[in-house]
Amino acid sequence: MNEPRDSRNKEEEGELFFSSLYTPEQARRYFYKHQESFGRRLSDRVEKRMVRKALRLAGKPASVLDLPCGTGRFWPLLLERGERRVLAGDYSGGMLEIARRFQPPELQQKVQLLQTSAFRIALAPDAVDSILCIRLFHHIGERKDRLRILREFHRVTRDTVCLSLWLDDSRQGRRRRRLEQERAQGVRAYRRGYQDRFVQSPEVVEAEFEEAGFEILARVRMLPGWSIWSTYVLKKR
Ligand SMILES: C[S@@+](CC[C@H](N)C(=O)[O-])C[C@H]1O[C@@H](n2cnc3c(N)ncnc32)[C@H](O)[C@@H]1O
């Protein structure tokens, strides 16, 4: 793991320090992570069920930007609709490199890759029908950063955004909230010495979605009542 560094200058360029933590070795590990045990495979399946449902509620968009795409975990799902145009972006060159090396060539031929930041997406306004944003927002602790990304999504999507994050109104979410409080009070230590994941309250993020110009079409819970993960389906106003 790289040492976290002061992110102030990089933040001005639109990067959070966690964004540069994915070295090629970590990217390779990430590729295997969701398949490495029965529990992970099960949660990968349930997560994909949540994402499928969100895309259905978003109106089965004909073009989707998968951002961040990581190592391409959602490409087979996105290409279940054969005629769909799929663009995939990530800030990390390491992640994209592993996606290029490990995903089957027949999938890669159908996906247009771009190395870009969610803060400043290298695409024109209204470039895609929808943006799929899975497992990014739980890394974004600051309201101003979430709003910057949401406004950028508002510029680039023509219609919808499907965005997953951690919420505190489930069993896992409440547990996480308690843990965060204990860490803030110094009762417990951070796993990596700093906080890199954040749980939010639905009221807080829902107000931010509205502020950035989105209407909330739906919230899909990964495992209602239990899981910390939810995916919002947002529609551009
Ligand atoms: C936990 S992974 C999720 C990847 C994929 N969505 C998945 O669920 O398999 C988080 C990803 O966010 C990417 N990332 C971090 N900061 C970013 C930024 N500012 N813009 C775009 N991608 C970013 C990382 O490189 C990493 O691939």
Side-chain angles (χ1 to χ4, degrees):
M1 171 66 64
N2 292 357
E3 282 305 308
R5 54 196 167 79
D6 189 321
S7 58
R8 212 141 309 203
N9 294 332
K10 282 292 180 187
E11 254 183 59
E12 280 159 22
E13 291 168 25
E15 180 197 347
L16 293 166
F17 83 80
F18 99 90
S19 304
S20 50
L21 297 181
Y22 291 94
T23 60
E25 179 47 31
Q26 267 149 341
R28 205 183 57 79
R29 254 187 268 144
Y30 191 81
F31 180 83
Y32 290 115
K33 174 179 158 179
H34 295 279
Q35 299 301 324
E36 71 192 8
S37 65
F38 175 74
R40 292 249 195 229
R41 285 194 294 277
L42 190 64
S43 104
D44 183 62
R45 253 176 102 151
V46 181
E47 187 175 13
K48 284 178 177 156
R49 190 179 62 185
M50 169 177 73
V51 171
R52 250 187 222 101
K53 184 167 178 192
L55 287 167
R56 211 168 45 240
L57 291 167
K60 302 184 182 168
S63 58
V64 176
L65 169 65
D66 178 15
L67 179 72
C69 67
T71 57
R73 192 161 63 99
F74 290 96
W75 297 355
L77 183 158
L78 285 167
L79 288 164
E80 282 167 4
R81 265 175 78 94
E83 73 283 16
R84 177 174 279 151
R85 185 169 155 247
V86 177
L87 290 83
D90 202 285
Y91 182 81
S92 155
M95 286 297 222
L96 293 174
E97 181 54 29
I98 293 297
R100 269 193 210 100
R101 278 176 35 205
F102 288 31
Q103 290 291 349
E106 61 275 16
L107 275 188
Q108 296 199 37
Q109 281 165 12
K110 297 180 185 156
V111 176
Q112 189 184 325
L113 280 187
L114 58 147
Q115 185 168 7
T116 194
S117 168
F119 288 94
R120 207 175 307 167
I121 304 171
L123 288 173
D126 295 340
V128 286
D129 292 332
S130 191
I131 297 176
L132 179 68
C133 179
I134 303 296
R135 292 187 180 236
L136 177 68
F137 261 56
H138 71 308
H139 288 299
I140 317 283
E142 298 266 345
R143 168 187 149 81
K144 68 171 179 19
D145 292 328
R146 291 193 296 273
L147 278 171
R148 274 181 61 199
I149 294 178
L150 286 168
R151 291 194 173 114
E152 187 60 352
F153 284 180
H154 192 275
R155 183 186 71 80
V156 170
T157 186
R158 193 190 56 74
D159 190 30
T160 59
V161 171
C162 299
L163 178 155
S164 81
L165 76 179
W166 278 3
L167 292 176
D168 64 5
D169 61 351
S170 60
R171 201 181 154 91
Q172 280 185 338
R174 283 188 290 276
R175 212 165 56 201
R176 183 72 198 192
R177 183 62 92 191
R178 275 197 303 278
L179 179 68
E180 284 185 5
Q181 280 159 359
E182 287 169 8
R183 283 174 168 169
Q185 290 160 2
V187 181
R188 278 173 191 262
Y190 288 103
R191 205 157 48 102
R192 295 185 172 133
Y194 59 93
Q195 186 171 9
D196 64 344
R197 291 179 295 171
F198 305 84
V199 64
Q200 307 293 341
S201 301
E203 310 78 62
V204 170
V205 287
E206 288 176 12
E208 291 169 0
F209 298 150
E210 297 278 341
E211 195 175 330
F214 290 103
E215 172 194 339
I216 299 165
L217 283 188
R219 173 181 165 190
V220 186
R221 292 164 168 84
M222 188 153 130
L223 281 175
W226 173 266
S227 172
I228 196 167
W229 287 107
S230 278
T231 297
Y232 279 98
V233 183
L234 308 175
K235 190 169 173 68
K236 186 168 164 172
R237 272 203 305 266

